[in-house]
mmCIF file of all heavy atoms in Angstrom:
data_model
loop_
_atom_site.group_PDB
_atom_site.id
_atom_site.type_symbol
_atom_site.label_atom_id
_atom_site.label_comp_id
_atom_site.label_asym_id
_atom_site.label_seq_id
_atom_site.Cartn_x
_atom_site.Cartn_y
_atom_site.Cartn_z
ATOM 1 N N SER A 1252 139.408 126.739 48.914
ATOM 2 C CA SER A 1252 137.998 126.429 49.131
ATOM 3 C C SER A 1252 137.855 124.935 49.353
ATOM 4 O O SER A 1252 138.804 124.169 49.235
ATOM 5 C CB SER A 1252 137.166 126.867 47.912
ATOM 6 O OG SER A 1252 137.571 126.152 46.759
ATOM 7 N N GLY A 1253 136.619 124.527 49.687
ATOM 8 C CA GLY A 1253 136.363 123.104 49.882
ATOM 9 C C GLY A 1253 136.906 122.539 51.175
ATOM 10 O O GLY A 1253 137.024 121.318 51.318
ATOM 11 N N THR A 1254 137.236 123.400 52.142
ATOM 12 C CA THR A 1254 137.841 122.935 53.378
ATOM 13 C C THR A 1254 136.796 122.709 54.465
ATOM 14 O O THR A 1254 135.626 123.094 54.320
ATOM 15 C CB THR A 1254 138.891 123.939 53.892
ATOM 16 O OG1 THR A 1254 138.216 125.088 54.431
ATOM 17 C CG2 THR A 1254 139.831 124.373 52.778
ATOM 18 N N LEU A 1255 137.245 122.125 55.553
ATOM 19 C CA LEU A 1255 136.342 121.883 56.674
ATOM 20 C C LEU A 1255 135.783 123.181 57.231
ATOM 21 O O LEU A 1255 134.590 123.267 57.560
ATOM 22 C CB LEU A 1255 137.081 121.113 57.771
ATOM 23 C CG LEU A 1255 136.256 120.764 59.005
ATOM 24 C CD1 LEU A 1255 135.156 119.770 58.667
ATOM 25 C CD2 LEU A 1255 137.138 120.223 60.115
ATOM 26 N N VAL A 1256 136.600 124.225 57.333
ATOM 27 C CA VAL A 1256 136.090 125.479 57.903
ATOM 28 C C VAL A 1256 135.088 126.145 56.963
ATOM 29 O O VAL A 1256 134.164 126.826 57.429
ATOM 30 C CB VAL A 1256 137.231 126.452 58.263
ATOM 31 C CG1 VAL A 1256 138.091 125.885 59.378
ATOM 32 C CG2 VAL A 1256 138.061 126.813 57.066
ATOM 33 N N ASN A 1257 135.224 125.952 55.646
ATOM 34 C CA ASN A 1257 134.197 126.439 54.728
ATOM 35 C C ASN A 1257 132.880 125.707 54.951
ATOM 36 O O ASN A 1257 131.802 126.318 54.918
ATOM 37 C CB ASN A 1257 134.644 126.248 53.273
ATOM 38 C CG ASN A 1257 135.850 127.084 52.897
ATOM 39 O OD1 ASN A 1257 136.932 126.534 52.650
ATOM 40 N ND2 ASN A 1257 135.679 128.393 52.849
ATOM 41 N N ALA A 1258 132.975 124.388 55.184
ATOM 42 C CA ALA A 1258 131.773 123.598 55.438
ATOM 43 C C ALA A 1258 131.119 123.992 56.758
ATOM 44 O O ALA A 1258 129.887 124.095 56.848
ATOM 45 C CB ALA A 1258 132.123 122.108 55.443
ATOM 46 N N VAL A 1259 131.925 124.230 57.797
ATOM 47 C CA VAL A 1259 131.392 124.656 59.094
ATOM 48 C C VAL A 1259 130.712 126.020 58.961
ATOM 49 O O VAL A 1259 129.654 126.267 59.545
ATOM 50 C CB VAL A 1259 132.510 124.691 60.152
ATOM 51 C CG1 VAL A 1259 132.017 125.354 61.440
ATOM 52 C CG2 VAL A 1259 133.008 123.275 60.446
ATOM 53 N N ALA A 1260 131.347 126.915 58.180
ATOM 54 C CA ALA A 1260 130.762 128.244 57.976
ATOM 55 C C ALA A 1260 129.368 128.139 57.354
ATOM 56 O O ALA A 1260 128.455 128.898 57.716
ATOM 57 C CB ALA A 1260 131.678 129.089 57.088
ATOM 58 N N TRP A 1261 129.187 127.199 56.420
ATOM 59 C CA TRP A 1261 127.860 127.006 55.816
ATOM 60 C C TRP A 1261 126.879 126.422 56.837
ATOM 61 O O TRP A 1261 125.744 126.888 56.954
ATOM 62 C CB TRP A 1261 127.972 126.079 54.610
ATOM 63 C CG TRP A 1261 126.631 125.760 53.991
ATOM 64 C CD1 TRP A 1261 125.803 124.723 54.294
ATOM 65 C CD2 TRP A 1261 125.952 126.522 52.993
ATOM 66 N NE1 TRP A 1261 124.665 124.769 53.545
ATOM 67 C CE2 TRP A 1261 124.723 125.873 52.728
ATOM 68 C CE3 TRP A 1261 126.273 127.684 52.286
ATOM 69 C CZ2 TRP A 1261 123.815 126.347 51.798
ATOM 70 C CZ3 TRP A 1261 125.369 128.158 51.354
ATOM 71 C CH2 TRP A 1261 124.160 127.500 51.117
ATOM 72 N N HIS A 1262 127.342 125.443 57.575
ATOM 73 C CA HIS A 1262 126.473 124.803 58.567
ATOM 74 C C HIS A 1262 125.977 125.807 59.603
ATOM 75 O O HIS A 1262 124.826 125.720 60.057
ATOM 76 C CB HIS A 1262 127.231 123.665 59.250
ATOM 77 C CG HIS A 1262 126.446 122.949 60.296
ATOM 78 N ND1 HIS A 1262 125.409 122.090 60.002
ATOM 79 C CD2 HIS A 1262 126.527 122.996 61.658
ATOM 80 C CE1 HIS A 1262 124.884 121.624 61.124
ATOM 81 N NE2 HIS A 1262 125.543 122.152 62.145
ATOM 82 N N LEU A 1263 126.816 126.775 59.960
ATOM 83 C CA LEU A 1263 126.475 127.758 60.986
ATOM 84 C C LEU A 1263 126.125 129.124 60.390
ATOM 85 O O LEU A 1263 126.178 130.138 61.086
ATOM 86 C CB LEU A 1263 127.645 127.905 61.971
ATOM 87 C CG LEU A 1263 128.039 126.629 62.731
ATOM 88 C CD1 LEU A 1263 129.253 126.887 63.606
ATOM 89 C CD2 LEU A 1263 126.866 126.119 63.576
ATOM 90 N N ARG A 1264 125.748 129.133 59.114
ATOM 91 C CA ARG A 1264 125.502 130.404 58.415
ATOM 92 C C ARG A 1264 124.375 131.215 59.037
ATOM 93 O O ARG A 1264 124.329 132.442 58.906
ATOM 94 C CB ARG A 1264 125.221 130.144 56.934
ATOM 95 C CG ARG A 1264 123.939 129.359 56.661
ATOM 96 C CD ARG A 1264 123.868 128.883 55.223
ATOM 97 N NE ARG A 1264 122.619 128.179 54.920
ATOM 98 C CZ ARG A 1264 122.389 126.918 55.255
ATOM 99 N NH1 ARG A 1264 123.283 126.222 55.939
ATOM 100 N NH2 ARG A 1264 121.233 126.335 54.933
ATOM 101 N N ASN A 1265 123.437 130.546 59.705
ATOM 102 C CA ASN A 1265 122.295 131.246 60.313
ATOM 103 C C ASN A 1265 122.512 131.554 61.792
ATOM 104 O O ASN A 1265 121.597 132.023 62.461
ATOM 105 C CB ASN A 1265 121.024 130.418 60.132
ATOM 106 C CG ASN A 1265 120.628 130.261 58.671
ATOM 107 O OD1 ASN A 1265 120.784 131.193 57.887
ATOM 108 N ND2 ASN A 1265 120.138 129.085 58.305
ATOM 109 N N ASN A 1266 123.720 131.259 62.272
ATOM 110 C CA ASN A 1266 124.061 131.569 63.658
ATOM 111 C C ASN A 1266 124.683 132.965 63.700
ATOM 112 O O ASN A 1266 125.813 133.152 63.257
ATOM 113 C CB ASN A 1266 125.041 130.530 64.203
ATOM 114 C CG ASN A 1266 125.375 130.744 65.673
ATOM 115 O OD1 ASN A 1266 125.200 131.844 66.211
ATOM 116 N ND2 ASN A 1266 125.881 129.702 66.317
ATOM 117 N N PRO A 1267 123.970 133.977 64.199
ATOM 118 C CA PRO A 1267 124.481 135.351 64.148
ATOM 119 C C PRO A 1267 125.715 135.564 65.007
ATOM 120 O O PRO A 1267 126.439 136.546 64.818
ATOM 121 C CB PRO A 1267 123.304 136.181 64.671
ATOM 122 C CG PRO A 1267 122.521 135.239 65.528
ATOM 123 C CD PRO A 1267 122.661 133.896 64.873
ATOM 124 N N ASP A 1268 125.989 134.654 65.935
ATOM 125 C CA ASP A 1268 127.128 134.818 66.835
ATOM 126 C C ASP A 1268 128.399 134.141 66.316
ATOM 127 O O ASP A 1268 129.454 134.266 66.931
ATOM 128 C CB ASP A 1268 126.790 134.254 68.222
ATOM 129 C CG ASP A 1268 125.651 135.006 68.876
ATOM 130 O OD1 ASP A 1268 125.575 136.236 68.695
ATOM 131 O OD2 ASP A 1268 124.829 134.356 69.550
ATOM 132 N N TYR A 1269 128.276 133.420 65.196
ATOM 133 C CA TYR A 1269 129.446 132.696 64.677
ATOM 134 C C TYR A 1269 129.977 133.381 63.426
ATOM 135 O O TYR A 1269 129.308 133.422 62.399
ATOM 136 C CB TYR A 1269 129.106 131.236 64.352
ATOM 137 C CG TYR A 1269 130.320 130.424 63.946
ATOM 138 C CD1 TYR A 1269 131.139 129.842 64.907
ATOM 139 C CD2 TYR A 1269 130.654 130.260 62.603
ATOM 140 C CE1 TYR A 1269 132.258 129.111 64.551
ATOM 141 C CE2 TYR A 1269 131.770 129.526 62.231
ATOM 142 C CZ TYR A 1269 132.577 128.961 63.210
ATOM 143 O OH TYR A 1269 133.683 128.251 62.851
ATOM 144 N N ASP A 1270 131.171 133.923 63.528
ATOM 145 C CA ASP A 1270 131.847 134.546 62.393
ATOM 146 C C ASP A 1270 133.035 133.671 62.019
ATOM 147 O O ASP A 1270 134.012 133.588 62.772
ATOM 148 C CB ASP A 1270 132.328 135.951 62.764
ATOM 149 C CG ASP A 1270 133.072 136.638 61.623
ATOM 150 O OD1 ASP A 1270 133.223 136.024 60.549
ATOM 151 O OD2 ASP A 1270 133.519 137.789 61.823
ATOM 152 N N PRO A 1271 132.983 132.993 60.870
ATOM 153 C CA PRO A 1271 134.069 132.070 60.511
ATOM 154 C C PRO A 1271 135.416 132.752 60.333
ATOM 155 O O PRO A 1271 136.458 132.087 60.328
ATOM 156 C CB PRO A 1271 133.586 131.460 59.190
ATOM 157 C CG PRO A 1271 132.622 132.453 58.630
ATOM 158 C CD PRO A 1271 131.939 133.062 59.825
ATOM 159 N N ASN A 1272 135.420 134.084 60.185
ATOM 160 C CA ASN A 1272 136.676 134.815 60.032
ATOM 161 C C ASN A 1272 137.195 135.383 61.354
ATOM 162 O O ASN A 1272 138.213 136.077 61.372
ATOM 163 C CB ASN A 1272 136.492 135.937 59.012
ATOM 164 C CG ASN A 1272 136.236 135.399 57.620
ATOM 165 O OD1 ASN A 1272 137.134 134.873 56.972
ATOM 166 N ND2 ASN A 1272 134.990 135.493 57.164
ATOM 167 N N ASP A 1273 136.513 135.065 62.441
ATOM 168 C CA ASP A 1273 136.957 135.489 63.765
ATOM 169 C C ASP A 1273 137.852 134.397 64.348
ATOM 170 O O ASP A 1273 137.395 133.276 64.587
ATOM 171 C CB ASP A 1273 135.737 135.716 64.669
ATOM 172 C CG ASP A 1273 136.123 136.216 66.061
ATOM 173 O OD1 ASP A 1273 137.338 136.308 66.347
ATOM 174 O OD2 ASP A 1273 135.208 136.512 66.844
ATOM 175 N N PRO A 1274 139.128 134.684 64.599
ATOM 176 C CA PRO A 1274 140.032 133.641 65.127
ATOM 177 C C PRO A 1274 139.680 133.183 66.526
ATOM 178 O O PRO A 1274 140.241 132.192 67.010
ATOM 179 C CB PRO A 1274 141.402 134.334 65.099
ATOM 180 C CG PRO A 1274 141.102 135.790 65.149
ATOM 181 C CD PRO A 1274 139.813 135.966 64.394
ATOM 182 N N GLN A 1275 138.744 133.873 67.188
ATOM 183 C CA GLN A 1275 138.357 133.473 68.544
ATOM 184 C C GLN A 1275 137.356 132.323 68.556
ATOM 185 O O GLN A 1275 137.017 131.812 69.626
ATOM 186 C CB GLN A 1275 137.757 134.666 69.293
ATOM 187 C CG GLN A 1275 138.736 135.798 69.527
ATOM 188 C CD GLN A 1275 138.118 136.889 70.387
ATOM 189 O OE1 GLN A 1275 138.190 136.863 71.611
ATOM 190 N NE2 GLN A 1275 137.502 137.860 69.726
ATOM 191 N N VAL A 1276 136.881 131.911 67.365
ATOM 192 C CA VAL A 1276 135.998 130.752 67.259
ATOM 193 C C VAL A 1276 136.536 129.842 66.159
ATOM 194 O O VAL A 1276 137.424 130.215 65.407
ATOM 195 C CB VAL A 1276 134.540 131.163 66.945
ATOM 196 C CG1 VAL A 1276 133.963 131.975 68.074
ATOM 197 C CG2 VAL A 1276 134.471 131.948 65.628
ATOM 198 N N GLY A 1277 135.985 128.637 66.081
ATOM 199 C CA GLY A 1277 136.365 127.734 65.001
ATOM 200 C C GLY A 1277 137.186 126.562 65.490
ATOM 201 O O GLY A 1277 137.055 126.092 66.624
ATOM 202 N N LEU A 1278 138.057 126.061 64.620
ATOM 203 C CA LEU A 1278 138.860 124.880 64.912
ATOM 204 C C LEU A 1278 139.721 125.079 66.146
ATOM 205 O O LEU A 1278 140.398 126.099 66.280
ATOM 206 C CB LEU A 1278 139.768 124.555 63.730
ATOM 207 C CG LEU A 1278 139.111 123.944 62.490
ATOM 208 C CD1 LEU A 1278 140.123 123.861 61.363
ATOM 209 C CD2 LEU A 1278 138.567 122.563 62.801
ATOM 210 N N VAL A 1279 139.703 124.102 67.024
ATOM 211 C CA VAL A 1279 140.537 124.145 68.222
ATOM 212 C C VAL A 1279 141.863 123.437 67.964
ATOM 213 O O VAL A 1279 142.886 123.761 68.561
ATOM 214 C CB VAL A 1279 139.805 123.501 69.416
ATOM 215 C CG1 VAL A 1279 140.650 123.556 70.679
ATOM 216 C CG2 VAL A 1279 138.463 124.193 69.644
ATOM 217 N N HIS A 1280 141.865 122.464 67.063
ATOM 218 C CA HIS A 1280 143.081 121.722 66.701
ATOM 219 C C HIS A 1280 142.923 121.262 65.264
ATOM 220 O O HIS A 1280 141.872 121.480 64.646
ATOM 221 C CB HIS A 1280 143.307 120.534 67.648
ATOM 222 C CG HIS A 1280 142.184 119.532 67.615
ATOM 223 N ND1 HIS A 1280 142.353 118.229 67.248
ATOM 224 C CD2 HIS A 1280 140.857 119.665 67.894
ATOM 225 C CE1 HIS A 1280 141.195 117.595 67.325
ATOM 226 N NE2 HIS A 1280 140.268 118.454 67.699
ATOM 227 N N ARG A 1281 143.956 120.654 64.713
ATOM 228 C CA ARG A 1281 143.911 120.239 63.310
ATOM 229 C C ARG A 1281 144.426 118.817 63.153
ATOM 230 O O ARG A 1281 145.173 118.316 63.990
ATOM 231 C CB ARG A 1281 144.781 121.167 62.446
ATOM 232 C CG ARG A 1281 144.359 122.628 62.482
ATOM 233 C CD ARG A 1281 145.198 123.453 61.527
ATOM 234 N NE ARG A 1281 144.852 124.869 61.606
ATOM 235 C CZ ARG A 1281 145.310 125.796 60.763
ATOM 236 N NH1 ARG A 1281 146.123 125.460 59.791
ATOM 237 N NH2 ARG A 1281 144.940 127.053 60.905
ATOM 238 N N ILE A 1282 144.011 118.182 62.066
ATOM 239 C CA ILE A 1282 144.637 116.947 61.618
ATOM 240 C C ILE A 1282 144.963 117.106 60.136
ATOM 241 O O ILE A 1282 144.405 117.965 59.457
ATOM 242 C CB ILE A 1282 143.744 115.706 61.863
ATOM 243 C CG1 ILE A 1282 142.400 115.849 61.151
ATOM 244 C CG2 ILE A 1282 143.540 115.471 63.351
ATOM 245 C CD1 ILE A 1282 141.504 114.602 61.305
ATOM 246 N N ASP A 1283 145.875 116.280 59.649
ATOM 247 C CA ASP A 1283 146.339 116.406 58.273
ATOM 248 C C ASP A 1283 145.223 116.157 57.266
ATOM 249 O O ASP A 1283 144.243 115.466 57.559
ATOM 250 C CB ASP A 1283 147.476 115.412 57.992
ATOM 251 C CG ASP A 1283 148.714 115.688 58.824
ATOM 252 O OD1 ASP A 1283 148.893 116.832 59.266
ATOM 253 O OD2 ASP A 1283 149.502 114.743 59.020
ATOM 254 N N LYS A 1284 145.420 116.684 56.095
ATOM 255 C CA LYS A 1284 144.463 116.510 54.997
ATOM 256 C C LYS A 1284 144.110 115.037 54.789
ATOM 257 O O LYS A 1284 142.936 114.675 54.668
ATOM 258 C CB LYS A 1284 145.056 117.091 53.714
ATOM 259 C CG LYS A 1284 144.290 116.744 52.447
ATOM 260 C CD LYS A 1284 145.051 117.159 51.211
ATOM 261 C CE LYS A 1284 144.361 116.668 49.941
ATOM 262 N NZ LYS A 1284 145.144 116.988 48.721
ATOM 263 N N ASP A 1285 145.107 114.165 54.740
ATOM 264 C CA ASP A 1285 144.871 112.770 54.413
ATOM 265 C C ASP A 1285 144.733 111.877 55.637
ATOM 266 O O ASP A 1285 144.851 110.653 55.533
ATOM 267 C CB ASP A 1285 145.969 112.250 53.487
ATOM 268 C CG ASP A 1285 145.850 112.830 52.086
ATOM 269 O OD1 ASP A 1285 144.713 113.058 51.644
ATOM 270 O OD2 ASP A 1285 146.890 113.072 51.446
ATOM 271 N N THR A 1286 144.492 112.480 56.785
ATOM 272 C CA THR A 1286 144.137 111.731 57.994
ATOM 273 C C THR A 1286 142.642 111.884 58.221
ATOM 274 O O THR A 1286 142.104 112.986 58.109
ATOM 275 C CB THR A 1286 144.908 112.261 59.216
ATOM 276 O OG1 THR A 1286 146.315 112.081 59.003
ATOM 277 C CG2 THR A 1286 144.502 111.534 60.488
ATOM 278 N N SER A 1287 141.973 110.795 58.518
ATOM 279 C CA SER A 1287 140.534 110.842 58.796
ATOM 280 C C SER A 1287 140.316 110.905 60.305
ATOM 281 O O SER A 1287 141.210 110.590 61.093
ATOM 282 C CB SER A 1287 139.849 109.601 58.222
ATOM 283 O OG SER A 1287 140.461 108.414 58.727
ATOM 284 N N GLY A 1288 139.106 111.346 60.702
ATOM 285 C CA GLY A 1288 138.764 111.250 62.105
ATOM 286 C C GLY A 1288 138.282 112.521 62.761
ATOM 287 O O GLY A 1288 137.823 113.458 62.100
#
Side-chain angles (χ1 to χ4, degrees):
S1252 62
T1254 74
L1255 181 66
V1256 295
N1257 295 112
V1259 170
W1261 176 269
H1262 179 73
L1263 299 177
R1264 65 192 183 281
N1265 296 323
N1266 183 339
D1268 297 324
Y1269 186 84
D1270 179 359
N1272 294 288
D1273 182 356
Q1275 295 185 89
V1276 296
L1278 286 173
V1279 181
H1280 61 119
R1281 300 184 183 189
I1282 58 177
D1283 296 336
K1284 169 189 173 184
D1285 288 326
T1286 298
S1287 55

